[in-house]
Amino acid sequence: MRVCARASPSLALMKYWGKREGGINLPATPSLALTLGGLETTTLVEPAQGDSDIVVVDGIERDSARYAPFFAEVRKRLRSRLHFQAESRNSFPGGSGFASSSSGFAALALATARLVQELEERAEPSLDLLSELARVGSASAARAVLGGFTQLPAGSPRAEAFLPAEHWPEFRVVAAIVARGEKPLSSRAAMEATRETSPYYNEWIIDAPRLVTKAKDALESRDLPRLGALARLSYSRMHASALAADPPLLYWLPESVALIRACASLRAAGIGAWETMDAGPQVKVLCLAGDLEAVLAGLSAAVGKLECLVARPGPAPEVFIHEEGLAFPSHRLPPA
Ligand code: PMV
């Protein structure tokens, strides 16, 4: 039997950066995010022949140590003895700051849990349990098992729905591909380095919840100028804490800075464009559908041949049994 799951990545409007001590991957800051409809990870899972777990992402077999805590948690929580063979494909550049670990672990959690349910006749796992399993792989993945706008409170083992995608259908995210290729340092290692060596880490942890409370209010009232300004503060303070680590963690490339400046010029010209960044050089710009063309033009003018992906508040993942002998399933969502 093979199970397929398709999930979209979770982009944090307000960032999680840093882990609580003493838990498995518990976030030290609350985050507020949206599921990026238009970008997708498709994952096929079947039982493995031997007693090791195998994960192939975009054609490359991945280091099993990265996945070991996740699969151990799946077996423990679902009382299973199965081992898994998974193949995963991204519709966007993976591992380079487009949150592919969020959609990747969300799809993996959903597909493995369904496989256990079918083969070992277990009850259907709750969404809370699925979110907790995904979190062990990658905390942002706890949010990607849900659609629409989501939150992951500080210290929480699972994410929660905040508002459905329909709350703000005109909301758009332009994800500018500044660089392809996988990032040299994982978010996990970078967060640890920030916690251990940055004198600004504690201040970041204290400040982040205050910003998130305000951002939730701005999101509820669909106030993009207010939400965009708070999103800028969130990523800037996250990056400031990382930049102050020893050695410094600098993710920005010249093109990233050019795009940040292009957003400022767009806003000065009355076009709503607010950027955010994660643990990579890519720049994601928050805007409304009515301004999309102007935003794309403004960003391209700043960098020249720029490739952009456009996403909107997206649906929850889907999971289904994949018939034996069929080709690898295509992505569910065409790029928006
Ligand atoms: O879930 P991870 O380990 O990939 O870390 C995600 C960290 C950020 O993308 C920078 C922020 C976030 O909340 O998604």
CSV table of all heavy atoms in Angstrom, one decimal, residues 10-19 25 27 29-33 66 97-102 105 134-135 137-143 152 183 186-189 191 204 234 238-239 251 277-280 284, ligand 1:
chain,number,residue,atom,x,y,z
A,10,SER,N,4.3,26.6,5.1
A,10,SER,CA,3.7,27.6,6.0
A,10,SER,C,4.7,28.7,6.1
A,10,SER,O,5.8,28.6,6.6
A,10,SER,CB,3.6,26.9,7.4
A,10,SER,OG,3.3,27.9,8.4
A,11,LEU,N,4.3,29.9,5.7
A,11,LEU,CA,5.1,31.1,5.8
A,11,LEU,C,4.7,31.9,7.0
A,11,LEU,O,3.6,32.3,7.2
A,11,LEU,CB,4.9,32.0,4.5
A,11,LEU,CG,5.6,33.4,4.6
A,11,LEU,CD1,7.1,33.2,4.4
A,11,LEU,CD2,5.0,34.4,3.7
A,12,ALA,N,5.7,32.1,7.9
A,12,ALA,CA,5.5,32.9,9.1
A,12,ALA,C,5.4,34.4,8.8
A,12,ALA,O,6.4,34.9,8.2
A,12,ALA,CB,6.5,32.6,10.1
A,13,LEU,N,4.3,35.0,9.1
A,13,LEU,CA,4.2,36.5,9.1
A,13,LEU,C,5.0,37.0,10.3
A,13,LEU,O,5.6,38.0,10.2
A,13,LEU,CB,2.8,36.9,9.1
A,13,LEU,CG,1.9,36.4,8.0
A,13,LEU,CD1,0.4,36.6,8.3
A,13,LEU,CD2,2.3,37.0,6.7
A,14,MET,N,4.8,36.3,11.4
A,14,MET,CA,5.5,36.6,12.6
A,14,MET,C,6.4,35.4,13.0
A,14,MET,O,5.8,34.2,13.1
A,14,MET,CB,4.5,36.9,13.7
A,14,MET,CG,3.5,38.0,13.4
A,14,MET,SD,4.2,39.6,12.9
A,14,MET,CE,4.8,40.2,14.4
A,15,LYS,N,7.6,35.5,13.2
A,15,LYS,CA,8.6,34.4,13.1
A,15,LYS,C,8.7,33.6,14.4
A,15,LYS,O,8.8,34.2,15.5
A,15,LYS,CB,10.0,34.9,12.7
A,15,LYS,CG,10.0,35.7,11.4
A,15,LYS,CD,9.6,34.9,10.2
A,15,LYS,CE,9.6,35.7,9.0
A,15,LYS,NZ,8.9,35.0,7.9
A,16,TYR,N,8.9,32.3,14.2
A,16,TYR,CA,9.4,31.4,15.3
A,16,TYR,C,10.9,31.4,15.0
A,16,TYR,O,11.4,31.1,13.9
A,16,TYR,CB,8.8,30.1,15.1
A,16,TYR,CG,9.7,28.9,15.3
A,16,TYR,CD1,10.3,28.6,16.5
A,16,TYR,CD2,9.9,28.0,14.3
A,16,TYR,CE1,11.1,27.5,16.7
A,16,TYR,CE2,10.7,26.9,14.4
A,16,TYR,CZ,11.3,26.6,15.6
A,16,TYR,OH,12.1,25.5,15.8
A,17,TRP,N,11.7,31.7,16.1
A,17,TRP,CA,13.2,31.6,16.0
A,17,TRP,C,13.7,31.3,17.3
A,17,TRP,O,13.7,32.1,18.2
A,17,TRP,CB,13.8,32.9,15.4
A,17,TRP,CG,15.2,32.7,15.0
A,17,TRP,CD1,16.3,33.2,15.7
A,17,TRP,CD2,15.8,32.0,13.9
A,17,TRP,NE1,17.5,32.9,15.1
A,17,TRP,CE2,17.2,32.2,13.9
A,17,TRP,CE3,15.2,31.3,12.8
A,17,TRP,CZ2,18.0,31.6,13.0
A,17,TRP,CZ3,16.1,30.7,11.9
A,17,TRP,CH2,17.5,30.9,12.0
A,18,GLY,N,14.1,30.0,17.6
A,18,GLY,CA,14.6,29.6,18.9
A,18,GLY,C,13.7,28.6,19.5
A,18,GLY,O,12.5,28.6,19.3
A,19,LYS,N,14.4,27.6,20.2
A,19,LYS,CA,13.7,26.5,20.8
A,19,LYS,C,13.7,26.6,22.3
A,19,LYS,O,14.7,27.0,22.9
A,19,LYS,CB,14.3,25.2,20.4
A,19,LYS,CG,14.2,25.0,18.9
A,19,LYS,CD,14.9,23.6,18.5
A,19,LYS,CE,15.3,23.6,17.0
A,19,LYS,NZ,14.2,23.7,16.1
A,25,ASN,N,11.8,20.2,20.1
A,25,ASN,CA,11.4,21.2,19.1
A,25,ASN,C,10.3,22.0,19.5
A,25,ASN,O,9.4,22.3,18.7
A,25,ASN,CB,11.0,20.4,17.8
A,25,ASN,CG,11.9,20.8,16.6
A,25,ASN,OD1,12.8,21.6,16.8
A,25,ASN,ND2,11.6,20.3,15.5
A,27,PRO,N,8.8,25.6,20.3
A,27,PRO,CA,9.2,27.0,19.9
A,27,PRO,C,9.3,27.9,21.1
A,27,PRO,O,8.5,27.8,22.0
A,27,PRO,CB,8.1,27.4,19.0
A,27,PRO,CG,6.9,26.6,19.4
A,27,PRO,CD,7.4,25.3,19.9
A,29,THR,N,9.3,31.2,20.7
A,29,THR,CA,8.5,32.4,20.4
A,29,THR,C,7.2,32.0,19.7
A,29,THR,O,7.2,30.9,19.0
A,29,THR,CB,9.2,33.4,19.4
A,29,THR,OG1,9.4,32.7,18.2
A,29,THR,CG2,10.5,33.9,20.0
A,30,PRO,N,6.1,32.7,19.9
A,30,PRO,CA,4.9,32.4,19.2
A,30,PRO,C,5.0,32.8,17.7
A,30,PRO,O,5.8,33.7,17.4
A,30,PRO,CB,3.8,33.3,19.8
A,30,PRO,CG,4.6,34.4,20.4
A,30,PRO,CD,6.0,33.9,20.7
A,31,SER,N,4.4,32.0,16.8
A,31,SER,CA,4.4,32.5,15.4
A,31,SER,C,3.0,32.5,14.8
A,31,SER,O,2.1,31.8,15.3
A,31,SER,CB,5.3,31.5,14.6
A,31,SER,OG,4.9,30.2,14.7
A,32,LEU,N,2.9,33.3,13.8
A,32,LEU,CA,1.6,33.5,13.1
A,32,LEU,C,1.9,33.4,11.7
A,32,LEU,O,2.8,34.0,11.2
A,32,LEU,CB,1.1,34.9,13.4
A,32,LEU,CG,-0.3,35.4,12.9
A,32,LEU,CD1,-1.4,34.5,13.6
A,32,LEU,CD2,-0.5,36.9,13.2
A,33,ALA,N,1.1,32.5,11.0
A,33,ALA,CA,1.6,32.1,9.6
A,33,ALA,C,0.4,32.0,8.7
A,33,ALA,O,-0.8,32.0,9.1
A,33,ALA,CB,2.3,30.8,9.7
A,66,ARG,N,18.6,13.1,10.2
A,66,ARG,CA,17.7,14.3,10.2
A,66,ARG,C,16.2,13.8,10.5
A,66,ARG,O,15.4,14.6,11.0
A,66,ARG,CB,17.8,15.1,8.9
A,66,ARG,CG,16.8,16.1,8.7
A,66,ARG,CD,17.1,17.4,9.5
A,66,ARG,NE,16.1,18.4,9.3
A,66,ARG,CZ,15.0,18.6,10.1
A,66,ARG,NH1,14.8,17.7,11.0
A,66,ARG,NH2,14.2,19.6,9.9
A,97,GLY,N,15.0,28.2,1.9
A,97,GLY,CA,14.3,29.3,2.5
A,97,GLY,C,12.9,29.5,2.0
A,97,GLY,O,12.3,30.6,2.2
A,98,PHE,N,12.3,28.5,1.4
A,98,PHE,CA,10.9,28.6,1.0
A,98,PHE,C,10.1,27.7,1.9
A,98,PHE,O,9.0,27.2,1.5
A,98,PHE,CB,10.7,28.2,-0.5
A,98,PHE,CG,11.0,29.4,-1.4
A,98,PHE,CD1,12.0,29.3,-2.3
A,98,PHE,CD2,10.3,30.6,-1.3
A,98,PHE,CE1,12.4,30.4,-3.1
A,98,PHE,CE2,10.6,31.6,-2.1
A,98,PHE,CZ,11.6,31.5,-3.0
A,99,ALA,N,10.6,27.4,3.1
A,99,ALA,CA,9.9,26.6,4.1
A,99,ALA,C,9.5,25.2,3.6
A,99,ALA,O,8.4,24.7,4.0
A,99,ALA,CB,8.6,27.4,4.5
A,100,SER,N,10.4,24.6,2.8
A,100,SER,CA,10.0,23.2,2.3
A,100,SER,C,10.1,22.2,3.5
A,100,SER,O,9.4,21.2,3.4
A,100,SER,CB,11.0,22.8,1.2
A,100,SER,OG,12.3,22.7,1.7
A,101,SER,N,10.8,22.5,4.6
A,101,SER,CA,10.7,21.6,5.7
A,101,SER,C,9.3,21.6,6.3
A,101,SER,O,8.9,20.6,6.9
A,101,SER,CB,11.8,21.8,6.7
A,101,SER,OG,11.6,23.1,7.3
A,102,SER,N,8.6,22.7,6.3
A,102,SER,CA,7.3,22.8,6.8
A,102,SER,C,6.3,21.9,6.1
A,102,SER,O,5.6,21.0,6.6
A,102,SER,CB,6.8,24.2,7.0
A,102,SER,OG,6.6,24.8,5.7
A,105,PHE,N,7.6,18.0,6.2
A,105,PHE,CA,7.3,17.2,7.4
A,105,PHE,C,5.8,17.1,7.6
A,105,PHE,O,5.3,16.1,8.2
A,105,PHE,CB,8.0,17.7,8.6
A,105,PHE,CG,9.4,17.2,8.8
A,105,PHE,CD1,10.5,18.0,8.5
A,105,PHE,CD2,9.6,15.8,9.1
A,105,PHE,CE1,11.8,17.5,8.6
A,105,PHE,CE2,10.9,15.3,9.2
A,105,PHE,CZ,12.0,16.1,9.0
A,134,ALA,N,4.3,16.3,13.2
A,134,ALA,CA,5.0,17.1,12.2
A,134,ALA,C,6.0,18.0,12.9
A,134,ALA,O,7.1,18.3,12.4
A,134,ALA,CB,4.0,17.9,11.4
A,135,ARG,N,5.7,18.6,14.1
A,135,ARG,CA,6.5,19.5,14.9
A,135,ARG,C,7.9,18.8,15.2
A,135,ARG,O,8.9,19.5,15.2
A,135,ARG,CB,5.8,19.9,16.1
A,135,ARG,CG,6.6,21.0,16.9
A,135,ARG,CD,6.3,21.0,18.4
A,135,ARG,NE,7.0,20.0,19.1
A,135,ARG,CZ,6.5,18.9,19.7
A,135,ARG,NH1,5.2,18.7,19.7
A,135,ARG,NH2,7.3,18.1,20.4
A,137,GLY,N,9.6,16.9,13.5
A,137,GLY,CA,10.4,17.0,12.3
A,137,GLY,C,10.9,18.5,12.1
A,137,GLY,O,12.1,18.7,11.9
A,138,SER,N,10.0,19.4,12.3
A,138,SER,CA,10.3,20.8,12.0
A,138,SER,C,9.1,21.6,12.6
A,138,SER,O,8.0,21.4,12.3
A,138,SER,CB,10.3,21.0,10.5
A,138,SER,OG,10.6,22.3,10.2
A,139,ALA,N,9.4,22.6,13.5
A,139,ALA,CA,8.4,23.2,14.3
A,139,ALA,C,7.4,23.9,13.3
A,139,ALA,O,6.2,23.9,13.5
A,139,ALA,CB,8.9,24.2,15.3
A,140,SER,N,7.9,24.5,12.2
A,140,SER,CA,7.0,25.2,11.3
A,140,SER,C,6.0,24.2,10.6
A,140,SER,O,5.0,24.6,10.2
A,140,SER,CB,7.8,26.0,10.3
A,140,SER,OG,8.7,25.1,9.6
A,141,ALA,N,6.4,22.9,10.6
A,141,ALA,CA,5.5,21.9,10.0
A,141,ALA,C,4.3,21.7,10.8
A,141,ALA,O,3.3,21.2,10.3
A,141,ALA,CB,6.3,20.6,9.8
A,142,ALA,N,4.4,22.0,12.1
A,142,ALA,CA,3.2,21.9,13.0
A,142,ALA,C,2.1,22.7,12.4
A,142,ALA,O,0.9,22.4,12.5
A,142,ALA,CB,3.5,22.3,14.4
A,143,ARG,N,2.4,23.9,11.8
A,143,ARG,CA,1.4,24.8,11.2
A,143,ARG,C,1.0,24.3,9.9
A,143,ARG,O,-0.2,24.6,9.5
A,143,ARG,CB,2.0,26.2,11.1
A,143,ARG,CG,2.6,26.8,12.4
A,143,ARG,CD,3.1,28.2,12.2
A,143,ARG,NE,4.0,28.3,11.1
A,143,ARG,CZ,5.2,28.8,11.1
A,143,ARG,NH1,5.8,29.2,12.3
A,143,ARG,NH2,5.9,28.9,10.0
A,152,LEU,N,1.2,29.1,16.2
A,152,LEU,CA,1.9,28.1,17.0
A,152,LEU,C,2.4,28.9,18.2
A,152,LEU,O,3.3,29.7,18.2
A,152,LEU,CB,3.1,27.5,16.2
A,152,LEU,CG,4.0,26.5,17.0
A,152,LEU,CD1,3.2,25.3,17.5
A,152,LEU,CD2,5.1,26.1,16.1
A,183,LYS,N,20.5,25.8,1.5
A,183,LYS,CA,21.3,26.7,2.4
A,183,LYS,C,22.4,26.0,3.1
A,183,LYS,O,22.2,24.8,3.4
A,183,LYS,CB,20.3,27.4,3.3
A,183,LYS,CG,19.5,26.5,4.2
A,183,LYS,CD,18.4,27.3,4.9
A,183,LYS,CE,17.5,26.3,5.6
A,183,LYS,NZ,16.2,26.9,5.9
A,186,SER,N,21.4,24.8,8.5
A,186,SER,CA,20.0,24.5,8.7
A,186,SER,C,19.4,25.5,9.7
A,186,SER,O,20.2,26.1,10.5
A,186,SER,CB,19.8,23.1,9.3
A,186,SER,OG,20.3,23.1,10.6
A,187,SER,N,18.1,25.8,9.7
A,187,SER,CA,17.5,26.7,10.6
A,187,SER,C,17.8,26.2,12.1
A,187,SER,O,18.0,27.0,13.0
A,187,SER,CB,16.0,26.8,10.5
A,187,SER,OG,15.6,26.7,9.2
A,188,ARG,N,17.7,24.9,12.2
A,188,ARG,CA,17.9,24.3,13.5
A,188,ARG,C,19.3,24.7,14.1
A,188,ARG,O,19.4,25.2,15.2
A,188,ARG,CB,17.9,22.8,13.4
A,188,ARG,CG,18.1,21.9,14.6
A,188,ARG,CD,17.9,20.5,14.2
A,188,ARG,NE,16.5,20.3,13.7
A,188,ARG,CZ,15.6,19.6,14.3
A,188,ARG,NH1,15.9,18.9,15.4
A,188,ARG,NH2,14.4,19.4,13.8
A,189,ALA,N,20.3,24.5,13.3
A,189,ALA,CA,21.7,24.8,13.8
A,189,ALA,C,21.8,26.4,14.0
A,189,ALA,O,22.4,26.8,15.0
A,189,ALA,CB,22.7,24.4,12.8
A,191,MET,N,19.4,28.5,14.8
A,191,MET,CA,18.7,28.9,16.0
A,191,MET,C,19.5,28.6,17.2
A,191,MET,O,19.5,29.4,18.2
A,191,MET,CB,17.4,28.1,16.1
A,191,MET,CG,16.3,28.6,15.2
A,191,MET,SD,14.9,27.5,15.5
A,191,MET,CE,14.1,27.8,13.9
A,204,TRP,N,15.0,39.3,22.0
A,204,TRP,CA,14.1,38.8,20.9
A,204,TRP,C,13.0,38.0,21.5
A,204,TRP,O,11.8,38.2,21.1
A,204,TRP,CB,14.9,38.0,19.9
A,204,TRP,CG,14.2,37.0,19.1
A,204,TRP,CD1,14.3,35.7,19.2
A,204,TRP,CD2,13.2,37.3,18.1
A,204,TRP,NE1,13.4,35.0,18.3
A,204,TRP,CE2,12.7,36.0,17.6
A,204,TRP,CE3,12.6,38.4,17.5
A,204,TRP,CZ2,11.8,35.9,16.6
A,204,TRP,CZ3,11.6,38.3,16.5
A,204,TRP,CH2,11.2,37.0,16.1
A,234,SER,N,9.1,41.8,12.8
A,234,SER,CA,9.4,40.5,13.2
A,234,SER,C,10.6,39.9,12.5
A,234,SER,O,11.5,39.4,13.2
A,234,SER,CB,8.1,39.6,13.0
A,234,SER,OG,8.4,38.3,13.4
A,238,MET,N,14.3,39.2,14.2
A,238,MET,CA,14.8,37.8,14.1
A,238,MET,C,16.2,37.8,13.5
A,238,MET,O,17.1,37.2,14.0
A,238,MET,CB,13.8,36.9,13.3
A,238,MET,CG,14.4,35.5,13.0
A,238,MET,SD,13.5,34.9,11.5
A,238,MET,CE,14.9,34.2,10.6
A,239,HIS,N,16.3,38.5,12.4
A,239,HIS,CA,17.6,38.5,11.7
A,239,HIS,C,18.7,39.3,12.5
A,239,HIS,O,19.8,38.9,12.5
A,239,HIS,CB,17.5,39.1,10.3
A,239,HIS,CG,16.9,38.1,9.3
A,239,HIS,ND1,17.7,37.4,8.4
A,239,HIS,CD2,15.7,37.6,9.1
A,239,HIS,CE1,17.0,36.5,7.7
A,239,HIS,NE2,15.8,36.6,8.1
A,251,TYR,N,22.2,36.1,6.2
A,251,TYR,CA,21.5,35.4,5.1
A,251,TYR,C,21.3,36.2,3.9
A,251,TYR,O,21.0,35.7,2.9
A,251,TYR,CB,20.1,34.9,5.6
A,251,TYR,CG,20.2,33.7,6.6
A,251,TYR,CD1,19.9,33.9,7.9
A,251,TYR,CD2,20.5,32.5,6.2
A,251,TYR,CE1,20.0,32.9,8.8
A,251,TYR,CE2,20.5,31.4,7.0
A,251,TYR,CZ,20.3,31.6,8.4
A,251,TYR,OH,20.3,30.5,9.2
A,277,MET,N,11.4,37.8,5.4
A,277,MET,CA,12.5,36.8,5.1
A,277,MET,C,12.6,35.7,6.1
A,277,MET,O,12.3,36.0,7.3
A,277,MET,CB,13.8,37.5,4.9
A,277,MET,CG,13.9,38.5,3.7
A,277,MET,SD,15.5,39.3,3.6
A,277,MET,CE,16.6,38.0,3.1
A,278,ASP,N,13.0,34.6,5.7
A,278,ASP,CA,13.3,33.5,6.7
A,278,ASP,C,14.8,33.2,6.7
A,278,ASP,O,15.6,34.0,6.5
A,278,ASP,CB,12.4,32.3,6.3
A,278,ASP,CG,10.9,32.6,6.5
A,278,ASP,OD1,10.5,32.6,7.6
A,278,ASP,OD2,10.2,33.0,5.5
A,279,ALA,N,15.1,31.9,7.0
A,279,ALA,CA,16.5,31.6,7.1
A,279,ALA,C,17.1,31.3,5.8
A,279,ALA,O,17.5,30.2,5.5
A,279,ALA,CB,16.7,30.4,8.1
A,280,GLY,N,17.2,32.3,4.9
A,280,GLY,CA,17.7,32.2,3.6
A,280,GLY,C,17.7,33.5,2.9
A,280,GLY,O,17.2,34.5,3.5
A,284,LYS,N,10.1,37.4,0.5
A,284,LYS,CA,8.7,37.2,0.2
A,284,LYS,C,7.9,38.5,0.5
A,284,LYS,O,8.1,39.1,1.6
A,284,LYS,CB,8.1,36.1,1.1
A,284,LYS,CG,8.7,34.7,0.8
A,284,LYS,CD,9.6,34.3,2.0
A,284,LYS,CE,10.3,33.0,1.7
A,284,LYS,NZ,11.2,32.6,2.8
B,1,PMV,O1,10.7,24.9,11.3
B,1,PMV,P1,12.1,25.2,10.9
B,1,PMV,O2,13.1,24.5,11.7
B,1,PMV,O3,12.3,25.1,9.5
B,1,PMV,O4,12.3,26.8,11.2
B,1,PMV,C1,11.5,27.8,10.6
B,1,PMV,C2,12.1,29.1,11.0
B,1,PMV,C3,11.6,30.3,10.2
B,1,PMV,O5,11.2,29.9,8.9
B,1,PMV,C4,12.7,31.3,10.0
B,1,PMV,C5,10.4,31.0,10.9
B,1,PMV,C6,9.1,30.3,10.9
B,1,PMV,O6,8.3,30.5,11.9
B,1,PMV,O7,8.7,29.5,10.0
